[in-house]
Amino acid sequence: MAISKPLRRLLLVLALAFTYFVYDFASEYYAAQSADASAESGVEAFFSARRHARQGHTNNWAVLVCSSRYWFNYRHMANALGMYRTVKRLGIPDSNIILMLADDAACNSRNKFPGSVYANKGRGLDLYGDNIEVDYRGYEVTVENFIRVLTGRVADSVPRSKRLLTDDRSNIFLYMTGHGGNEFLKFQDNEEISAFDLADAIEQMWQKKRYNEIFFMIDTCQANTMYSKLYSPNILATGSAQLNENSYSHENDQDIGVAVIDSFTHHSLQYLEGVNKTTRKTMDDFFSTYSYDRIKSTAGVRTDLFYRRLNETLLTDFFGGVAQVESVEDIPNSDDTRTASGSQIPLNAESSTTHHVKDNREASSMADAPELNPTGTSPSPSNLNRRKSQLQKVQKPSSMDDWRRGMKLWGASAVIGGLLLWALRS
């Protein structure tokens, strides 16, 4: 049966009208979905920014490993103890330091100065002293224990003092010294750890969110080959000697009878001795002091896994203690303008500011502050709830949006009405 011309026109108009309203409905639906997603992302971004400060970390740790033993390796123990003293002086507490040491030199029968370890022939500074905490000593210094410390896969019986209790906000200074070769480091002349073992252990740390950034330093022969297999992100590495090159001792002490420190570590400690907890020196400043004449070998630096610029990375981001203070921009009141330690912060201050601890008393006062959240601040809960509710609100349509929607509806009605009149004409 043939369809009349007016009926065909009417069906065409109805099809066009249906298509238009479907399109309009879909546009409004997806716009609402986008608004909801934007609001949720705003809330998440706000609280994510509070969790992750500009420097990306809230605590520093150090893992210091002397993999040698026996009297003739005296210098390796002095290397590790020198680094131990330096990171403690710059603010990392013993609770955040894991020290692995054979510990067989200070009380060795051949030691002319019992209970002491020196790193220079003048013997002006006793590195052993009365305030040293060795976490793994003697035959506890093994490859297995070292990897277990890094990965956190330790037995329940292991005390907290022997655990690396880090998280994804922790910067770790990892220092190793001993005898090594191409892509391996010996542990007490009994076993070895390879560059692949180290790389896989650090990858486990990354997968388990056990670090934010790692600074890996190693002093051994052919040291630079030990970081050649690393592949995890956020790692800065340096070593004392390149492939097929030895790392040499700095000086001998005739009274002690052996070399007392290695050149690379001696140079590093000499530089670090000139900085304090509030220094603005950067890793770039530190690496620029490397010289073959001073170190007697070709020290190397690997930066391709590290996302920050070296001239913006402070030495104290790895060597020093750090405390985190953050402020929340909100309606001015006493809760918003006062930090956990009681100091005033301007309302227009940056959302997160890292303050390095000036002394142990200041660090302890911040640790004892009431109602601290994980990032180290004490904002009012009501202010946080108010800010969250503000961010969760989807922006309501304005009067201009209503006017546009109304004009669009009237225009569509006029066009459809005109088409209907055209379709019904005989």
Side-chain angles (χ1 to χ4, degrees), residues 63-67 79 146 150 173-178 185 187 193 198 216-220 223 226 265:
V63 179
L64 312 176
V65 181
C66 170
S67 64
N79 291 345
F146 172 64
L150 293 184
F173 170 48
L174 174 57
Y175 175 82
M176 304 183 76
T177 183
L185 178 69
F187 270 63
I193 184 172
L198 180 63
F216 174 53
M217 175 183 283
I218 181 167
D219 189 353
T220 184
M226 277 299 291
T265 298

Side-chain angles (χ1 to χ4, degrees), residues 90-91 93 277-278 321-325 339-343 353-369 372 376:
L90 292 177
K277 299 174 184 178
T278 60
V322 62
Q324 198 73 15
V325 177
T339 66
S341 59
S343 59
T353 306
T354 301
H355 296 273
H356 295 278
V357 181
K358 294 184 178 180
D359 52 44
N360 292 334
R361 289 178 298 174
E362 182 178 345
S364 61
S365 66
M366 293 195 66
D368 295 335
L372 287 179

Side-chain angles (χ1 to χ4, degrees), residues 70 77 106-107 113-114 140 178 181 230 244 249 255 273 286 371 382 425:
Y70 309 121
M77 194 168 98
C107 297
F113 308 95
E140 289 182 320
L230 298 178
N244 298 325
S249 62
D255 292 325
E273 196 66 23
F286 175 48
E371 300 180 359
S382 61
R425 288 176 58 189

Side-chain angles (χ1 to χ4, degrees), residues 245-358:
E245 190 176 56
N246 292 328
S247 177
Y248 294 99
S249 62
H250 175 66
E251 62 182 358
N252 297 331
D253 187 303
Q254 298 301 322
D255 292 325
I256 295 176
V258 292
V260 293
I261 194 169
D262 284 322
S263 290
F264 178 71
T265 298
H266 170 77
H267 169 76
S268 301
L269 293 176
Q270 194 174 44
Y271 180 85
L272 293 172
E273 196 66 23
V275 302
N276 55 32
K277 299 174 184 178
T278 60
T279 185
R280 304 302 297 176
K281 295 286 187 180
T282 65
M283 300 303 292
D284 188 53
D285 297 328
F286 175 48
F287 294 144
S288 65
T289 65
Y290 284 1
S291 166
Y292 186 90
D293 294 334
R294 294 193 186 102
I295 300 174
K296 305 174 187 175
S297 58
T298 308
V301 179
R302 183 176 177 186
T303 61
D304 60 300
L305 300 174
F306 196 67
Y307 74 97
R308 286 198 287 158
R309 295 180 179 178
L310 296 185
N311 59 5
E312 297 175 355
T313 305
L314 298 177
L315 279 172
T316 48
D317 285 348
F318 296 101
F319 288 100
V322 62
Q324 198 73 15
V325 177
E326 299 176 0
S327 63
V328 180
E329 294 183 8
D330 211 330
I331 300 174
N333 58 47
S334 59
D335 290 329
D336 293 331
T337 59
R338 189 171 296 275
T339 66
S341 59
S343 59
Q344 297 289 333
I345 292 182
L347 289 175
N348 60 354
E350 297 177 353
S351 61
S352 62
T353 306
T354 301
H355 296 273
H356 295 278
V357 181
K358 294 184 178 180

Side-chain angles (χ1 to χ4, degrees), residues 91-116:
I92 300 182
D94 261 320
S95 59
N96 287 27
I97 300 175
I98 302 295
L99 179 58
M100 306 183 76
L101 200 68
D103 200 16
D104 61 348
C107 297
N108 194 290
S109 60
R110 284 173 286 189
N111 190 353
K112 190 177 179 179
F113 308 95
S116 301

